[in-house]
Amino acid sequence: DAGVIQSPRHEVTEMGQEVTLRCKPISGHDYLFWYRQTMMRGLELLIYFNNNVPIDDSGMPEDRFSAKMPNASFSTLKIQPSEPRDSAVYFCASGGLQEDGYTFGSGTRLTVV
Amino acid sequence: SQKIEQNSEALNIQEGKTATLTCNYTNYSPAYLQWYRQDPGRGPVFLLLIRENEKEKRKERLKVTFDTTLKQSLFHITASQPADSATYLCALYSSASKIIFGSGTRLSIRP
């Protein structure tokens, strides 16, 4: 298994532009999570899905952020319009059995200028 | 409010010694706790999970303890090696808040 695959690895965009981050979870994992990591706030849970259904989006900072999981093998996190304070590393993670923990992707480093 | 604290931002120890990292929490009733390792530019990697009814768990040179009375978990790396240098994150799971991560401790093992 190639693990959790995120794209792009790096994204630089101008303020006001739409940004879409993509994630392919590990096949067979029931849970998918989107996290954001910054120096100031550490790893923050944004939203998670169970069997493709959004369960808790209370961590999504505001309406500019949206996430979808149209099928078991793909999820997107969209920011529209983007702002400089959205600059961070965004991680996708998937999980199955509790004992195995979560598997994180390599992250997308987003810079909004 | 709910809070997770990892004892220090950075810890430096001599190769061969035991590294001990601390994770304290308040206003949580976690069902289980996880420890992850994160290297620069990479995502966290799962190491160990310990449940609320378990006192201790081991995996090779790693040992985790969980004291729900003290609201604390200790993470030990015995016979530490320079390759163990990384940031270590604790994460708590409760049914109310799902997985919440601490800010991490950056561990450096000097030869």
Side-chain angles (χ1 to χ4, degrees), chain A residues 72-85:
Chain A
S73 59
F74 184 66
S75 178
T76 59
L77 178 68
K78 185 179 291 186
I79 308 172
Q80 165 65 16
S82 57
E83 297 182 2
R85 59 190 168 129

Side-chain angles (χ1 to χ4, degrees), chain A residues 58-94:
Chain A
S58 59
M60 297 284 261
E62 47 199 272
D63 292 345
R64 298 185 296 106
F65 285 69
S66 62
K68 293 182 181 179
M69 192 165 186
N71 57 62
S73 59
F74 184 66
S75 178
T76 59
L77 178 68
K78 185 179 291 186
I79 308 172
Q80 165 65 16
S82 57
E83 297 182 2
R85 59 190 168 129
D86 302 330
S87 298
V89 180
Y90 290 80
F91 287 104
C92 174
S94 68

